[in-house]
Amino acid sequence: MQDRALKHPKIDFIWDTGIEEILGEDKVEGVRLKNLKTGEVSTLPCGGVFVAIGHKPNTDFLKGHLDLDETGYIKLAKLPTTQTGVPGVFRCRGCSRQDLPPSGDCCGFRVCCRYRRGAFLEGLEHS
């Protein structure tokens, strides 16, 4: 996706810069930018804003407790499932890789985790 975006003639990248303010009343009309290296402030007229924040999952606290891949995502016991390698520990979207796009499965996986957690706990009560 990054390569496609970098080659796209209608997408501009502004590096080392933070958004100070999104400008406009009822819609985006521009942004006030600040260069993080020089401190220079500028205004860029635009009709939309996309901010990329990265893809590092917040799973450092799980090291040594769950199987993580080389980038920090939780490895799943099998697909499709939310079960990790530790019985009773399920994952939600954002901390493991899946074949589905994040926008399409985030809420669904949270519901699935809640359901599987309940089924797991119910199974413990009947053991």
Side-chain angles (χ1 to χ4, degrees):
M1 183 160 91
Q2 176 181 321
D3 291 335
R4 287 179 27 212
L6 287 168
K7 293 176 185 175
H8 198 287
K10 294 184 178 181
I11 298 176
D12 293 320
F13 289 84
I14 302 172
W15 305 104
D16 304 315
T17 301
I19 295 177
E20 294 280 300
E21 183 179 1
I22 296 176
L23 306 171
E25 292 297 319
D26 296 321
K27 63 179 183 169
V28 175
E29 296 176 6
V31 288
R32 182 167 297 115
L33 305 172
K34 182 175 183 179
N35 185 293
L36 302 175
K37 290 185 176 180
T38 67
E40 179 185 350
V41 176
S42 61
T43 300
L44 175 70
C46 63
V49 177
F50 176 81
V51 180
I53 60 170
H55 295 284
K56 184 183 183 316
N58 188 13
T59 57
D60 288 345
F61 70 100
L62 297 172
K63 288 180 183 173
H65 302 286
L66 295 177
D67 290 332
L68 306 177
D69 69 12
E70 64 282 349
T71 57
Y73 287 95
I74 298 171
K75 292 182 181 180
L76 299 178
K78 61 182 177 177
L79 293 175
T81 183
T82 58
Q83 177 64 54
T84 67
V86 177
V89 178
F90 304 92
R91 68 89 179 147
C92 288
R93 184 68 193 167
C95 59
S96 70
R97 294 195 185 272
Q98 249 339 77
D99 293 333
L100 300 173
S103 60
D105 71 344
C106 185
C107 293
F109 273 105
R110 287 187 181 149
V111 171
C112 187
C113 284
R114 293 181 91 177
Y115 170 77
R116 291 180 193 260
R117 178 191 64 204
F120 177 82
L121 293 173
E122 185 176 300
L124 288 178
E125 291 173 4
H126 299 294
S127 301

